[in-house]
Amino acid sequence: MKILKSNRKLKKFLKKSWHREHLFLHDTGNMYGIGCAAFSKKSITKINDLKQRSGNKNYIVLIPKIHWLNRFGIAYQKILHRLFRQFWPGNLTILLEDAQKQFSHLSKSNKVGIRIPTSKLLRDFI
């Protein structure tokens, strides 16, 4: 296990060792969470197995910046932008419509939980 506490070490690790199917532990602000690349179904299955979790539970997608919502085609009402600015980065998870169903493997509804984490290192990693 590697503990990465600086951007320099993070960049070095990502260049040499990162694979999209790796799992990682990260600080959520209140506790540690197990994370993986959101589009790696194999990694999500690994997390389900580790946590002895059924596949019908939802996951939170962490993004580093608000404009990533557009990148993933997640539309939202403009009034929410003020809420995002007020509480993100932070521990607020917002359920948004996943109209393009890009995250259907992470959610059993057409909604996906989105959060911008407080940790700058974690946002840089994402």
Side-chain angles (χ1 to χ4, degrees), residues 16-29:
K16 291 184 177 184
S17 304
W18 176 252
H19 188 274
R20 70 177 256 137
E21 292 179 356
H22 284 166
L23 303 182
F24 57 91
L25 293 176
H26 63 90
D27 184 12
T28 66

Side-chain angles (χ1 to χ4, degrees), residues 20 36-42 44 61 72 102-103 105-106:
R20 70 177 256 137
C36 68
F39 293 108
S40 173
K41 292 178 184 178
K42 187 174 182 178
I44 292 162
V61 175
F72 293 129
Q102 289 192 63
F103 299 103
H105 59 289
L106 300 174

